[in-house]
Amino acid sequence: MKQATLSTLVLVAGLLVAGPILAHSEAHKGHHAVATVKEQKPWGIAGEASQVDRTIEIRMTDQMRFTPDRLQFKQGETIRFVHHNDGKVLHEFVLGTRETLDEHAEAMLRFPGMEHDEPYMAHVAPGQSGEMIWTFNRAGEFDFACLIAGHYQAGMVGTVQVLAD
């Protein structure tokens, strides 16, 4: 009887955890119109299309590389990133600090199906393109990466240098 109770508890706990994860993942399939939440991050803030200073094209490949993988901007620049997935698997572009990317990559290893919808992230299906607009209003050294399980660990990373005014 105790074994059946333990099994039931494990099943219920699993369903409680899986439900929100699956709902979160399903809610972010495809593109949908949602107002961008502007939240200041150490690496900048969501930008406005009307404020774009320049466009940078980023290519993503199944060799787990970004091209280019080193970027430099001036503090205050608003960049339109156009991401091209030249591969056959899903890739993403996530801006952050090394610490935030490390933490997020660890979570992605534990929950590989987890998807997100933040203004500093772009998910791009195989053979597709996506874009994001970001304002680099803080000077410093930042990073970007594909945090899909195994991609970050394989070296799918890059750096951003934001020069002070």
Side-chain angles (χ1 to χ4, degrees), residues 16-33:
L16 289 173
V17 171
I21 291 169
L22 290 173
H24 181 77
S25 182
E26 288 297 316
H28 297 294
K29 285 191 176 175
H31 295 292
H32 48 85

Side-chain angles (χ1 to χ4, degrees), residues 50-81:
S50 63
Q51 302 296 314
V52 170
D53 295 301
R54 60 183 162 138
T55 298
I56 302 294
E57 297 204 14
I58 304 281
R59 305 211 82 82
M60 300 180 275
T61 69
D62 292 348
Q63 287 72 41
M64 305 303 154
R65 296 293 179 259
F66 291 104
T67 304
D69 63 356
R70 296 183 190 279
L71 305 170
Q72 187 178 74
F73 305 114
K74 293 177 188 166
Q75 185 177 354
E77 271 192 285
T78 298
I79 305 298
R80 176 188 319 275
F81 289 99

Side-chain angles (χ1 to χ4, degrees), residues 3 30 37 40 54 56-57 62-63 72 75 93 97 103 114 130 132 145 157 161:
Q3 182 62 30
V37 176
Q40 181 65 56
R54 60 183 162 138
I56 302 294
E57 297 204 14
D62 292 348
Q63 287 72 41
Q72 187 178 74
Q75 185 177 354
F93 177 94
T97 62
E103 289 171 4
M114 183 171 58
M132 61 183 266
V157 299
Q161 181 181 32

Side-chain angles (χ1 to χ4, degrees), residues 41-43 92 94-111 114 116 120-121 143 145-149 152-153:
K41 297 291 185 182
W43 56 92
E92 63 182 8
V94 181
L95 285 166
T97 62
R98 178 60 52 108
E99 180 181 60
T100 60
L101 294 175
D102 285 348
E103 289 171 4
H104 191 152
E106 187 177 313
M108 292 291 286
L109 285 173
R110 287 193 310 266
F111 305 104
M114 183 171 58
H116 309 282
Y120 53 90
M121 301 177 176
D143 297 283
C146 179
L147 300 179
I148 293 173
Y152 183 67
Q153 295 76 10

